Amino acid sequence: MSCSLSLTKSHRPSSRYIVASTSTFVEDVAPAVKKSRVFYGSLEEKERERLSANVASSSATGSDAVRAGIEAGNINISSGETLEIEERVSERQQEALAEFERRRRARQITVSTDDAEVKAGLRALGEPITLFGEGPADRRERLRSVLSVVGPDALKKSRKDEERAKRSQDECQQTWYHEGSASLKDARLWLARYSLPRAMRRLEAARTQKEVTEATKTIRQQELHKSLRNLNNFCSQIGDDRPISFCHFSPDSKMLATASWSGLCKLWSVPDCNLIRTLRGHNTNVGAFVFRPQAGVSLNQSDVSLASCAADGTVKLWNLESDEPVADIEGHSERVSRVSWHPSGRFLGTTCYDYSWRLWDLEVQEEILHQEGHSKGVHDLTFHPDGSLAATGGLDAFGRVWDLRTGRCVVFLEGHLKEIYSLHFSPNGYHLATGSGDNTCKVWELRNRKCLYTVPAHQNLLSAVRFQPTDGHFLLTGAYDNTAKVWSHPGWMPLKTLAGHEGKVMGVDVSPDGKLIATCSYDRTFKLWLSE
């Protein structure tokens, strides 16, 4: 008993020594003094209590933190919905069954063995007709695969849609009619009464000319060709500050009208080329300025004698007394490129870039015809010498000849590769010349509705074509290669090249008496040509 006591006492001083040394080490490291604790006996129960207390406090703190996070919206707890594996398995099974069903339908679909029909079927379904490295058999299987998805009736439906679209397109290309106004009916009757006697006189003159001997015809033709080969520049005049776009002789061959891109229209005396009057009214490029057929002959100075058009869609009427227009023709919304008088002087035709041309009756002072038929802008218009027909040509490279007495398109002129910029009827009544942007002039035979001859006229687009107004024995062409050329008719041989302009030839004209030729150009000048 005394021995155990002695052992206990001997242990206590060592404990104190350890504690003291620890205290001394802490004081050297940090200034804070820790209170020493001395534990007697086993620490197992104390440790268990401490751990249990820590677990309880941490669980309480964690639950409070989770609750706060849920309330703040930072933690989302699912509602318990689950996706079972059996549903996914069933979806895969359905996809596999659908694929088997599609293959079964594909085996039952009958596809043509003709490769052309297979390609047509793929095109109708909106699929590429062939793939890289694909052969006819592979293409046939691809069509069968597509039909198994969209159904075998889709090809029949697409073919029906194609037939319906083609039928509607054919209907759009057909001539259609609608009821016109009473004034249009009266005008058509008037045109028939006016043109038929003129046609009879023309045919009678042709019969008379046919009785002339061939020797006499040859002599006359040779004299004419000799005269044309001697054409020389008689007068050259600066006409404006901007390019001159159009020129036209008066019916008595004593005046020349010119139109310019400056918006000014001018009248010049012929052949001395002195300025008579400057007509102001347009604000933009003037496309054409033409005399009325009876101007200066049977009309008074105060009567409407000229008409002009401009790129802003305006059309103006003028007399020979005033510098201001006497009337405006309204109704065009786009560029009006040409105006042309009917041989009677009662009607005025205008061509517009809204794909149409119009006919105006000056007696009733209204538009009696708004004719469509071109797929692009209409550029030029010319009337038949009898007054029964009108020919139009435009940017769609096609020409049309219209019967003014019925409203029908009687001749369709197809053959030019580019735009038609000019047309003109021959005095013989059955030849029509067209000038195009493909650098050629075509002469059309209206009796059999075919192209009679193609004149490889110039090296640039043709801007104007004109037949000799008296008997049509020569054809005049002007082009953007800075030249105008004279061609024999018939035969279409080049007789003379009128060179001298420094810019594009914008317009040409032949005087009604057949003695003078006028050309106007982009170089702001116009020239008169006379045979010596």
Side-chain angles (χ1 to χ4, degrees):
M1 188 69 175
S2 60
C3 184
S4 63
L5 287 175
S6 64
L7 288 174
T8 303
K9 287 180 180 180
S10 63
H11 180 71
R12 285 181 183 175
S14 64
S15 298
R16 289 194 189 98
Y17 175 77
I18 294 173
V19 172
S21 63
T22 304
S23 301
T24 305
F25 177 75
V26 172
E27 287 176 357
D28 294 338
V29 176
V33 178
K34 280 189 175 183
K35 185 180 179 180
S36 60
R37 293 183 181 181
V38 180
F39 296 94
Y40 299 95
S42 174
L43 300 177
E44 183 179 357
E45 294 181 1
K46 294 287 184 178
E47 187 68 17
R48 189 182 291 110
E49 292 177 1
R50 184 181 65 80
L51 291 176
S52 60
N54 290 339
V55 169
S57 61
S58 62
S59 61
T61 304
S63 60
D64 295 339
V66 171
R67 190 179 301 106
I70 294 175
E71 292 176 357
N74 298 326
I75 299 177
N76 296 322
I77 304 301
S78 64
S79 59
E81 296 180 358
T82 57
L83 179 63
E84 297 188 2
I85 299 178
E86 287 136 1
E87 294 184 2
R88 291 190 177 183
V89 173
S90 62
E91 287 180 2
R92 289 200 211 96
Q93 291 177 351
Q94 290 176 2
E95 291 176 359
L97 290 175
E99 179 66 18
F100 287 139
E101 182 66 20
R102 187 192 66 78
R103 293 181 181 179
R104 186 186 64 81
R105 290 197 306 267
R107 288 193 298 271
Q108 295 176 353
I109 294 175
T110 303
V111 179
S112 174
T113 56
D114 187 0
D115 192 50
E117 292 185 7
V118 172
K119 290 181 178 179
L122 288 170
R123 181 183 292 109
L125 294 174
E127 296 289 330
I129 61 174
T130 185
L131 299 178
F132 182 76
E134 186 180 50
D138 299 332
R139 193 177 300 113
R140 188 164 175 262
E141 290 300 323
R142 182 159 62 89
L143 176 60
R144 179 181 284 111
S145 177
V146 173
L147 289 177
S148 66
V149 175
V150 299
D153 296 334
L155 190 58
K156 298 179 181 179
K157 184 179 179 181
S158 62
R159 287 175 179 172
K160 289 181 180 179
D161 293 340
E162 284 185 0
E163 293 176 358
R164 191 180 300 108
K166 185 177 180 180
R167 187 165 55 251
S168 62
Q169 185 177 3
D170 294 340
E171 291 175 356
C172 292
Q173 293 178 351
Q174 292 177 357
T175 304
W176 53 275
Y177 302 91
H178 61 85
E179 186 176 357
S181 60
S183 58
L184 177 59
K185 179 181 178 181
D186 296 339
R188 294 200 190 282
L189 293 174
W190 190 92
L191 288 167
R193 290 191 292 267
Y194 174 84
S195 62
L196 289 175
R198 290 172 64 91
M200 293 177 62
R201 290 194 294 269
R202 177 174 56 81
L203 293 175
E204 186 63 30
R207 296 188 189 98
T208 304
Q209 185 67 23
K210 190 175 182 181
E211 296 175 358
V212 179
T213 61
E214 289 296 328
T216 304
K217 291 181 181 180
T218 303
I219 293 174
R220 291 178 180 175
Q221 187 176 15
Q222 290 177 352
E223 291 178 352
L224 177 63
H225 290 179
K226 182 179 179 180
S227 174
L228 292 173
R229 288 191 178 97
N230 292 328
L231 281 171
N232 287 309
N233 186 7
F234 175 76
C235 175
S236 180
Q237 179 67 272
I238 297 176
D240 203 278
D241 296 334
R242 296 291 307 281
I244 299 178
S245 57
F246 197 84
C247 61
H248 189 240
F249 280 104
S250 63
D252 57 1
S253 302
K254 295 181 179 179
M255 289 185 292
L256 179 70
T258 61
S260 171
W261 281 7
S262 65
L264 298 179
C265 301
K266 297 183 179 182
L267 297 178
W268 306 82
S269 61
V270 173
D272 52 5
C273 296
N274 292 326
L275 180 62
I276 300 175
R277 183 175 292 109
T278 300
L279 309 180
R280 295 176 172 84
H282 291 288
N283 299 321
T284 184
N285 304 358
V286 180
F289 186 40
V290 293
F291 278 99
R292 198 172 180 180
Q294 298 82 14
V297 179
S298 60
L299 295 178
N300 296 326
Q301 295 285 321
S302 59
D303 293 336
V304 174
S305 301
L306 300 112
S308 63
C309 62
D312 57 358
T314 58
V315 178
K316 298 183 182 294
L317 304 179
W318 314 79
N319 60 20
L320 297 176
E321 289 182 343
S322 174
D323 298 343
E324 301 292 331
V326 297
D328 291 336
I329 295 179
E330 299 177 351
H332 298 284
S333 59
E334 296 189 28
R335 172 184 174 183
V336 180
S337 56
R338 293 288 186 270
V339 291
S340 181
W341 288 97
H342 188 266
S344 64
R346 174 179 174 178
F347 304 98
L348 179 69
T350 59
T351 60
C352 186
Y353 274 28
D354 63 356
Y355 308 171
S356 68
W357 64 276
R358 310 186 189 206
L359 193 64
W360 307 81
D361 191 341
L362 299 187
E363 286 192 3
V364 299
Q365 298 182 359
E366 68 176 6
E367 174 191 305
I368 60 172
L369 178 62
H370 184 184
Q371 182 65 59
E372 298 177 340
H374 287 271
S375 60
K376 291 185 178 180
V378 185
H379 190 83
D380 197 17
L381 165 71
T382 183
F383 287 102
H384 193 274
D386 298 341
S388 58
L389 306 175
T392 58
L395 307 183
D396 56 0
F398 299 123
R400 291 179 180 269
V401 180
W402 308 85
D403 190 343
L404 299 175
R405 299 162 297 186
T406 62
R408 297 183 60 186
C409 176
V410 292
V411 182
F412 182 69
L413 310 177
E414 182 180 8
H416 279 296
L417 303 178
K418 291 187 178 180
E419 304 86 356
I420 295 178
Y421 290 111
S422 183
L423 307 96
H424 198 247
F425 280 103
S426 172
N428 61 22
Y430 52 85
H431 283 165
L432 173 66
T434 57
S436 169
D438 59 8
N439 307 351
T440 65
C441 172
K442 289 184 180 291
V443 181
W444 305 84
E445 173 64 70
L446 300 182
R447 291 174 296 187
N448 57 14
R449 305 180 183 183
K450 293 182 180 179
C451 178
L452 177 65
Y453 192 78
T454 299
V455 184
H458 292 268
Q459 297 177 359
N460 209 328
L461 69 86
L462 270 74
S463 56
V465 293
R466 289 291 182 274
F467 277 104
Q468 180 193 20
T470 52
D471 47 21
H473 283 171
F474 69 85
L475 174 66
L476 177 65
T477 61
Y480 276 17
D481 60 0
N482 304 355
T483 64
K485 294 185 179 181
V486 182
W487 308 82
S488 64
H489 176 212
W492 319 113
M493 294 178 57
L495 299 176
K496 182 70 174 180
T497 298
L498 307 180
H501 283 291
E502 296 178 358
K504 312 167 189 174
V505 175
M506 310 282 283
V508 299
D509 196 25
V510 185
S511 62
D513 57 9
K515 297 180 180 180
L516 285 172
I517 291 176
T519 59
C520 60
S521 172
Y522 195 86
D523 62 8
R524 302 169 298 162
T525 66
F526 69 89
K527 300 180 185 295
L528 296 182
W529 307 81
L530 181 64
S531 177
E532 295 180 352

